[in-house]
């Protein structure tokens, strides 16, 4: 019988929900299941801005989001007495929008579009308009500013605790790069042997898949049709591009076999982590489940009868981006740089703040 220790009293909900639940879902496969992972990023960034005097309590912070970051930033603003304005995509559903409004954030959504590039460009364009009219607002720039790396040192601490020895493989959605990239950078700085595997949807330009298209949809939050300047391409060892169909199937299997109810990016990471473990079982594999599956109930989980058996899915191993093909491709990236790596802005793999 395990005797629980004393309960920890948190000063704010943001501090309570940021820590993930480490769950073993295989012999050497660990899931870090977050309620909303980007709380780490938002809390670290807002705290740093206040400590350095870049913003003051009561100022308005603004950013674009497909949903997860919007919730995280609203909680961080609530925690530190800031105002918050979100320019959201259509994936910000009614449940989340009401939460944001009650937390004190103002929310506006760009017109509905099935085109990710149009959606992201409209959101960024709208932010530019708002900043022209409100020059005192501070744009958080989750897509560009490496300040968002700061909060993930604590996640690296947790990974060190749940996988204390031996080589690691960390698998998760790339998105802005400030989660998987930051965690791997912190771990490597501490001397850990870490292979970093990034997960992308088809159509995302971050690692050169803009010429491809998923017939279903692009997975919200981990892909981009515009340049994300805080992605450090040289941190990544391997890349997996996963379709909606395969991500949905894996997310359903993750729920069915382990009870973990997580989003599509988690399904894609789980699928990729299983494959990487099959290829290299000498490493402990940790994959990130960045949020719950709530916002995917209708678009994905309601279609669980269509889910493909896990043993029928395998990636196409490719040597060049020209070979990319739906539904699943994998490639050794070998920590090489990209034409978009901004050396003058991001001089090292370690956050400089």
């Amino acid at each position: 019988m395990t005797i629980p220790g004393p309960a920890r009293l948190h000063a704010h909900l943001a501090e309570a929900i940021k820590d993930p639940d480490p769950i073993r879902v295989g012999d050497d496969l660990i899931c870090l299941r977050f309620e909303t992972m980007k709380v780490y990023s938002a809390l670290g960034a807002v705290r740093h801005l206040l400590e350095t005097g870049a913003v003051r309590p009561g100022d308005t912070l603004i950013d674009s989001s497909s949903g997860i970051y919007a919730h995280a930033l609203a909680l961080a603003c609530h925690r530190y007495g800031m105002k918050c304005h979100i320019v959201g995509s259509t994936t910000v559903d009614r449940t989340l929008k009401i939460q944001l409004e009650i937390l004190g954030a103002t929310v506006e959504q760009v017109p509905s579009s099935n085109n990710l590039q149009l959606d992201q460009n409209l959101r960024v364009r709208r932010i530019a308009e708002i900043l022209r009219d409100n020059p005192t607002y501070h744009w958080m720039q989750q897509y560009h500013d490496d300040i968002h790396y700061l909060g993930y040192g604590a996640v690296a601490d947790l990974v060190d605790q749940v996988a204390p020895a031996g080589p690691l493989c960390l698998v998760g959605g790339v998105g802005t790069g400030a989660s998987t990239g930051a965690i791997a950078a912190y771990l490597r700085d501490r001397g850990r042997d870490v292979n970093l595997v990034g997960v992308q949807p088809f159509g995302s330009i971050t690692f050169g898949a803009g010429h491809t298209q998923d017939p279903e949809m692009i997975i919200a939050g981990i892909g981009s049709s515009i340049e994300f300047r805080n992605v450090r391409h040289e941190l990544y060892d391997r890349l997996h591009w996963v379709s909606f169909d395969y991500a949905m199937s894996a997310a359903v299997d993750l729920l069915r076999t382990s009870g973990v109810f997580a989003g599509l990016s988690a399904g894609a990471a789980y699928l990729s982590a299983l494959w990487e473990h099959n290829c290299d079982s000498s490493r402990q594999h940790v994959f990130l489940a960045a949020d719950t599956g709530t916002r995917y109930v209708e678009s994905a989980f309601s279609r669980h009868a269509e889910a493909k058996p896990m043993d029928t899915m395998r990636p196409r191993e490719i040597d060049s981006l020209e070979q990319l093909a739906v539904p699943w491709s994998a490639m050794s990236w070998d920590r090489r740089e990209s034409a978009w790596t901004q050396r003058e802005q991001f001089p090292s793999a370690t956050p400089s703040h």
Side-chain angles (χ1 to χ4, degrees):
M1 179 178 177
T2 301
I3 306 298
R8 179 183 175 189
L9 183 62
H10 297 278
H12 191 272
L13 177 71
E15 305 290 348
I17 68 169
K18 65 180 174 57
D19 292 340
D21 298 309
I23 301 165
R24 187 173 295 281
V25 298
D27 292 340
D28 288 296
L29 192 60
I30 296 170
C31 172
L32 289 188
R33 186 268 189 191
F34 296 81
E35 183 169 339
T36 175
M37 180 178 68
K38 288 190 176 180
V39 168
Y40 276 102
S41 175
L43 283 174
V46 173
R47 185 165 52 243
H48 179 78
L49 289 171
L50 286 166
E51 289 172 351
T52 59
V55 300
R56 295 177 297 177
D59 285 353
T60 298
L61 307 183
I62 182 174
D63 215 341
S64 164
S65 175
S66 62
I68 301 176
Y69 185 77
H71 188 208
L73 183 59
L75 285 172
C77 287
H78 190 274
R79 166 72 174 84
Y80 289 111
M82 313 294 292
K83 297 174 184 175
C84 179
H85 185 84
I86 299 295
V87 178
S89 74
T90 53
T91 56
V92 176
D93 61 23
R94 176 175 167 78
T95 301
L96 176 57
K97 187 171 184 290
I98 290 173
Q99 288 185 71
L100 296 176
E101 291 171 346
I102 293 174
L103 284 168
T106 52
V107 184
E108 60 178 283
Q109 291 174 276
V110 298
S112 178
S113 171
N114 291 325
N115 183 293
L116 178 74
Q117 182 173 8
L118 179 59
D119 176 80
Q120 290 181 326
N121 283 330
L122 284 174
R123 283 188 272 146
V124 172
R125 191 179 308 143
R126 178 58 186 146
I127 285 178
E129 294 172 353
I130 294 170
L131 290 173
R132 281 197 300 269
D133 296 334
N134 302 273
T136 62
Y137 285 13
H138 182 88
W139 184 14
M140 293 299 293
Q141 298 192 74
Q142 66 150 325
Y143 301 147
H144 306 313
D145 196 337
D146 67 341
I147 194 174
H148 291 92
Y149 278 59
L150 294 174
Y152 288 108
V155 184
D157 291 339
L158 179 61
V159 174
D160 256 339
Q161 293 171 22
V162 300
L168 288 173
C169 179
L170 178 68
V171 185
V174 176
T176 65
S179 55
T180 47
I183 297 167
Y186 280 116
L187 287 168
R188 288 171 181 166
D189 281 351
R190 297 168 191 176
R192 294 299 300 266
D193 175 5
V194 180
N195 272 3
L196 178 58
V197 178
V199 179
Q200 285 271 273
F202 289 95
S204 174
I205 68 172
T206 305
F207 283 89
H211 62 289
T212 63
Q213 187 174 2
D214 186 338
E216 283 275 5
M217 61 175 282
I218 197 162
I219 302 169
I222 66 169
S224 175
S225 67
I226 61 176
E227 177 188 356
F228 284 1
R229 291 197 300 271
N230 64 5
V231 174
R232 297 172 185 170
H233 299 75
E234 70 272 21
L235 294 177
Y236 292 84
D237 296 281
R238 295 262 294 164
L239 270 298
H240 285 248
W241 292 265
V242 181
S243 69
F244 168 86
D245 189 26
Y246 275 34
M248 179 271 288
S249 298
V252 168
D253 185 82
L254 181 62
L255 176 57
R256 181 179 291 128
T257 59
S258 70
V260 174
F261 181 47
L264 287 177
S265 67
Y270 169 55
L271 182 67
S272 302
L274 284 173
W275 180 258
E276 292 296 324
H277 181 261
N278 288 337
C279 295
D280 183 5
S281 60
S282 67
R283 292 179 179 270
Q284 294 184 82
H285 287 70
V286 178
F287 72 94
L288 305 181
D291 64 342
T292 70
T294 303
R295 66 173 173 160
Y296 299 104
V297 169
E298 292 302 323
S299 63
F301 287 97
S302 66
R303 298 169 55 178
H304 62 87
E306 303 171 27
K308 299 178 183 299
M310 293 292 284
D311 58 6
T312 65
M313 298 183 289
R314 58 187 299 121
R316 178 185 187 184
E317 288 286 342
I318 62 174
D319 299 314
S320 69
L321 295 172
E322 289 71 25
Q323 298 170 335
L324 275 168
V326 175
W328 182 12
S329 295
M331 179 180 179
S332 293
W333 188 258
D334 298 325
R335 304 191 190 185
R336 63 181 183 271
E337 296 178 14
S338 163
W340 286 342
T341 301
Q342 305 292 313
R343 277 299 179 187
E344 66 279 8
Q345 185 172 1
F346 306 130
S348 69
T350 305
S352 57
H353 291 284

